[in-house]
Amino acid sequence: MERLKQKIMQEGNVLSDSVLKVDAFLNHQIDPVLMQEIGEEFAGRFAGAGVTKILTLESSGIAPSVMAGLSMGVPVVFARKKKSLTLMDDLYSAEVYSYTKRESNEISISKEYIGPEDTVLIIDDFLANGQAALGLMKLVERAGAKSAGIGIVIEKGFQEGGGELRKSGVRVESLAIIESLKQGNILFSKEEAT
Ligand code: 5GP
């Protein structure tokens, strides 16, 4: 997605050979016009997949997911990283290890919002080692729902998550794939999706 790549080039900050900071438009401040275009792009790519719900992870997955949900006309559920007082019983949960934060989180959704009648599109901001996506897939499985695949805003193609998910047969659509962040330079891969 050309507009997204331009934005990454203009406003992204390479923090190390493996971490990209996009707080200017996705992870802290949010560019609603770009999010709307991202939502429409996901809606186009997954049109015809029979999606009835979008599932994401708080907090950075919510903005692109809501815009995709608006375009597709389906509700958005975000998995919580901490159990809130109002989210105690009847949960589906899964462990997610975060390499960036070096900690494990239990993510949960209420059983009320995803069930066997659903076809779920998973959306997240970044794909790196694939732990977040795998955790979300476990929630879909535990709910007995079908999976339509995974939509990712920025995939770091030099980390193994995307390759492993695709090898296992999961449909992964990434709007920008970064091949390298070496020496502060952002290099995109020519392939944007499988
Ligand atoms: P994974 O579980 O695929 O290893 O990592 C995905 C999660 O880690 C995403 O939900 C995202 O929040 C975070 N993440 C991984 N790599 C980056 C990065 O380079 N930049 C930012 N901003 N977040 C990242």
Side-chain angles (χ1 to χ4, degrees), residues 31-188:
D31 179 337
V33 176
L34 179 65
M35 286 309 123
Q36 191 172 30
E37 290 174 25
I38 284 171
E40 285 163 2
E41 182 72 23
F42 281 134
R45 292 193 190 201
F46 286 95
V51 175
T52 62
K53 289 265 163 92
I54 292 172
L55 174 64
T56 188
L57 190 54
E58 67 175 354
S59 55
S60 292
I62 295 176
S65 297
V66 167
M67 295 321 254
L70 185 65
S71 280
M72 300 174 92
V74 299
V76 177
V77 179
F78 63 89
R80 289 189 164 149
K81 289 177 179 164
K82 292 217 165 65
K83 285 187 184 145
S84 73
L85 281 176
T86 55
L87 189 76
M88 295 295 280
D89 306 313
D90 288 333
L91 301 177
Y92 296 116
S93 300
E95 274 298 305
V96 171
Y97 180 75
S98 162
Y99 286 95
T100 39
K101 293 186 181 145
R102 291 176 204 278
E103 61 180 30
S104 268
N105 276 306
E106 193 177 34
I107 62 166
S108 315
I109 53 168
S110 164
K111 289 184 180 173
E112 212 177 324
Y113 299 120
I114 296 186
E117 67 286 0
D118 284 313
T119 299
V120 180
L121 169 61
I122 290 169
I123 288 182
D124 204 7
D125 60 339
F126 271 88
L127 175 60
N129 294 294
Q131 296 300 305
L134 283 172
L136 291 167
M137 282 176 58
K138 274 187 213 143
L139 296 181
V140 173
E141 224 174 83
R142 284 172 190 166
K146 288 183 282 299
S147 165
I150 302 177
I152 296 292
V153 181
I154 304 172
E155 175 177 344
K156 293 186 292 181
F158 54 88
Q159 291 178 287
E160 72 262 26
E164 283 179 6
L165 287 165
R166 290 184 182 98
K167 231 187 287 162
S168 72
V170 179
R171 180 178 178 196
V172 182
E173 294 280 348
S174 298
L175 306 190
I177 302 182
I178 292 172
E179 197 173 285
S180 165
L181 291 172
K182 287 207 176 109
Q183 287 151 355
N185 294 316
I186 303 169
L187 192 71
F188 291 103

Side-chain angles (χ1 to χ4, degrees), residues 24-35:
F25 61 92
L26 178 60
N27 289 145
H28 192 23
Q29 173 171 261
I30 290 167
D31 179 337
V33 176
L34 179 65
M35 286 309 123

